[in-house]
Amino acid sequence: CSSCALLIETSLKKAPGVISANVNFSAEKASINFDPLQATPEDLIEAVEKAGYKATTTEDKDRQANEISEQFKKFVISFILSFPMIYFMLFDFFGFMPGAKLFLPYIGIISFILSTPVQFIIGSGFYKGALSALRMKTFNMDSLIAIGTSVAYFYSVINFVNYFAVNNSIIGLEGMKIPDLYFETASFLITFVILGKFLEAKAKGRTSEAIKKLMGLQPKTARLANGQDIPIDQVKVGDVLLVRPGEKVPVDGVITKGSSAIDQSMITGESLPVEKQIKDMVIGGTMNKVGSFEFEATRIGSETTLSQIIKLVEDAQGSKAPIQAFADRISSFFVPAVIAIAVLTFGIWYFALGASIGFSLMAFTAVIVIACPCALGLATPTAIMVGTGKGAENGILIKGGEPLEAACKIDVIIFDKTGTLTKGKPEVTDVVGDVLQIAASLEKLSEHPLAEAIVNKAKEENLALSAVEGFKAIPGKGVEGIIGKTKYFFGRPEQTIEVEQLQSQGKTVMELTTDKKSLGLIAVADTVKETSKEAIEKLHKMGIITFMITGDNKRTAQAIASQVGISNILAEVLPEDKANEVKKLQDLGKKVAMVGDGINDAPALAQADLGIAMGSGTDVAMETGGIVIIKNDLRDVVNAIDLSKETMGKIKQNMFFALFYNVIGIPVAARVFMFAGLVLKPELAGLAMALSSISVVGNSLLLRNYVPGRKNYLSIVAPYAMIIAFTLLFIQFARFSSIMK
């Protein structure tokens, strides 16, 4: 349980050389930062073993399936051994049963024989866990189960031995049962807890399905251009590989021959196939749809986009959100507090109210069992596992619990302009006059960043470029060259009303002239992404203030900002000063997110409460930024915040469930409401405890229905339905218990 995870974490932190340690209860993984000069992995494993647990540095891929299988076997054996004792419970209930005269005289010896292997073989894990906790001078869930079942079992053994000593017989008096035997309580308690662990393991397995899906995308083989198939781990950088229709792209690379449409949905979340041509990047694990192509491998093994995504999601799912500290604090003192309440319950019933020792011990045991903190330990990690997995499916990589929690608290978002709000690639926006063919002919020899945009525009319009003689680039002014017998100049324009109008729209204007006259204008701009305005509008509806930050002049900045609907502009800001602008807003008490390309914006991304890096779909493992948006679509910034709020909502609901179950469960288990006919037998308390853990995991699994931009009504309604259903079921358990012994 979560207490076990805390024990292991505490033990690791005390080990020499360990700087920090994080144990994730749900993922069953420990992440440790340590000094290799002071400790080795073997030392860390020894520290875990001293706490009474086992660890390995290599992950067993079948571990989860083996755990589910093991818990199921234990449950089946335990249930088979415990099932005959239902007969005795039903006799309690009805007062008669078919064949009672044959079986009931031997109830004591039959119950003893059946319950002993359940107690000490099936339940041995609880004793081991309790002893481990005792060595660490604390208590955990195993302590509670071990104490509860031992009280019921050994009290029954003592009564059975006393009866034998007095009557010199193992046969019940006059065919009736031996009084005050609770062997079935101990057996069914273990059976129901094991059932809960089995169902919990199955449910936890479903929380990591996103990782399994991503791992399933990894191809096992690759085909060389000569047609030879080789294992994927034999592919080398520079190899030319062939991909045919319906096949997976084996590794990352650049197309050298052919074209196709590729389904990238599992990597980027894009629903439609993406057209790919020569020189375009392809991502390993994506599905080729129509054409065949050859490509040169550029990234292999752990360097591929898919491998990096899997690593990021695994790290995120093994991390803790700050809110987890609240659950950890509660768990650390919760179990000792429960034991104290159980002892107090026994004392009040037996000494103050004069109840029988059997009645008092059953009240003690029920309190011990109902209050196990499993649900509390599952509340945060299961929601994080599903939430981060769901983000990865939609092209949003959330690097852990901390950025996930930070995203739902953001007040202000600062957007970098170039490559974030805009495409980051200049395009020709206006052509005034018949000048494109001549301008492109001149610019094809230029290395200026804007030259490529003009040449590409000419290619789009299928214009044949002319030969240029006497080409010369004039720094700060433009270029010149001779075409035919005419000398042309292309560059900085004379200021006219038309030029000023274009410049006021944030465009760079160039003029084509001869010695005698002006021939026309070409305007180039870094155009705004089609989805930027929509994203900003949605953020404003969420009550988030937006800023744009750029090194451009105020006129250009104003023009771009007005197109997307941002009114707060930070212009002419040098890259090294962007972090200071973030800090100024933080000093005003704002929770600030910075959205940038992760390169020039690295200091600002690090300074912000949340850094959101725009990925290219081929280089997603950026160090800066807690969230990576693979598709470069700003609507995913909205979706990331929305997913964060949805996930944090689930965590808070889960914590409420866990505490709510204990608030209503402990008093009923202590038999406070006995006057209202509500009494909880220990075995039914164990079943209720198991159901509470399953309901928490089930609530987290509702996040799997999350669709960006769509209300998840099932996720809204289901938690309330679960609370009502659990409360009604709990009352029925208590009523059923009240009419039994």
Side-chain angles (χ1 to χ4, degrees), residues 425-428 436 448-458 524:
K425 192 174 182 181
E427 294 179 358
V428 173
L436 182 59
H448 194 278
L450 300 182
E452 186 180 357
I454 295 168
V455 174
N456 287 340
K457 182 68 174 178
V524 177

Side-chain angles (χ1 to χ4, degrees), residues 136-198:
M136 300 292 289
K137 298 177 183 177
T138 186
F139 296 99
N140 61 5
M141 181 196 121
D142 290 335
S143 306
L144 297 180
I145 301 299
I147 291 169
T149 57
S150 295
V151 165
Y153 178 83
F154 286 110
Y155 177 68
S156 301
V157 169
I158 290 168
N159 279 347
F160 181 63
V161 171
N162 284 341
Y163 181 86
F164 177 77
V166 172
N167 297 281
N168 198 28
S169 173
I170 59 171
I171 299 175
L173 184 63
E174 295 179 359
M176 298 302 292
K177 63 180 181 178
I178 300 169
D180 281 341
L181 294 187
Y182 297 96
F183 288 117
E184 82 283 357
T185 294
S187 292
F188 277 111
L189 182 46
I190 289 172
T191 301
F192 287 144
V193 172
I194 296 290
L195 172 63
K197 283 182 170 287
F198 163 66

Side-chain angles (χ1 to χ4, degrees), residues 303-323:
E303 295 178 353
T304 64
T305 299
L306 180 58
S307 295
Q308 290 172 356
I309 289 174
I310 291 170
K311 178 71 166 61
L312 282 174
V313 177
E314 281 183 328
D315 289 347
Q317 293 190 341
S319 70
K320 287 185 180 180
I323 197 172

Side-chain angles (χ1 to χ4, degrees), residues 50-257:
K50 280 182 180 177
Y53 300 89
K54 292 181 180 178
T56 175
T57 53
T58 56
E59 184 177 1
D60 178 6
K61 300 295 182 185
D62 299 322
R63 175 181 53 80
Q64 205 165 57
N66 291 338
E67 182 192 352
I68 292 170
S69 175
E70 185 67 23
Q71 294 295 353
F72 182 70
K73 286 177 187 174
K74 282 185 177 181
F75 166 69
V76 169
I77 295 169
S78 186
F79 184 75
I80 289 171
L81 291 171
S82 302
F83 185 76
M85 285 183 273
I86 292 177
Y87 180 87
F88 308 137
M89 292 172 66
L90 292 175
F91 181 83
D92 251 354
F93 186 67
F94 294 112
F96 70 91
M97 284 295 291
K101 288 184 179 180
L102 178 64
F103 292 107
L104 289 179
Y106 303 97
I107 182 173
I109 190 63
I110 293 172
S111 297
F112 174 75
I113 292 170
L114 292 174
S115 64
T116 299
V118 175
Q119 185 71 33
F120 298 108
I121 298 176
I122 304 298
S124 61
F126 299 121
Y127 284 106
K128 289 176 184 175
L131 288 171
S132 297
L134 205 57
R135 280 200 298 269
M136 300 292 289
K137 298 177 183 177
T138 186
F139 296 99
N140 61 5
M141 181 196 121
D142 290 335
S143 306
L144 297 180
I145 301 299
I147 291 169
T149 57
S150 295
V151 165
Y153 178 83
F154 286 110
Y155 177 68
S156 301
V157 169
I158 290 168
N159 279 347
F160 181 63
V161 171
N162 284 341
Y163 181 86
F164 177 77
V166 172
N167 297 281
N168 198 28
S169 173
I170 59 171
I171 299 175
L173 184 63
E174 295 179 359
M176 298 302 292
K177 63 180 181 178
I178 300 169
D180 281 341
L181 294 187
Y182 297 96
F183 288 117
E184 82 283 357
T185 294
S187 292
F188 277 111
L189 182 46
I190 289 172
T191 301
F192 287 144
V193 172
I194 296 290
L195 172 63
K197 283 182 170 287
F198 163 66
L199 295 173
E200 184 184 298
K202 282 201 76 172
K204 276 164 62 180
R206 293 174 66 196
T207 64
S208 58
E209 279 188 4
I211 285 284
K212 293 174 186 172
K213 285 181 183 176
L214 288 170
M215 287 180 169
L217 293 177
Q218 293 178 312
K220 301 292 186 292
T221 60
R223 181 173 288 110
L224 296 172
N226 62 13
Q228 179 188 354
D229 287 340
I230 59 172
I232 196 74
D233 55 7
Q234 291 183 17
V235 176
K236 300 181 181 67
V237 172
D239 282 351
V240 178
L241 306 173
L242 171 67
V243 182
R244 295 182 297 197
E247 295 180 340
K248 286 181 180 178
V249 178
V251 295
D252 293 4
V254 179
I255 294 179
T256 56
K257 181 180 178 182

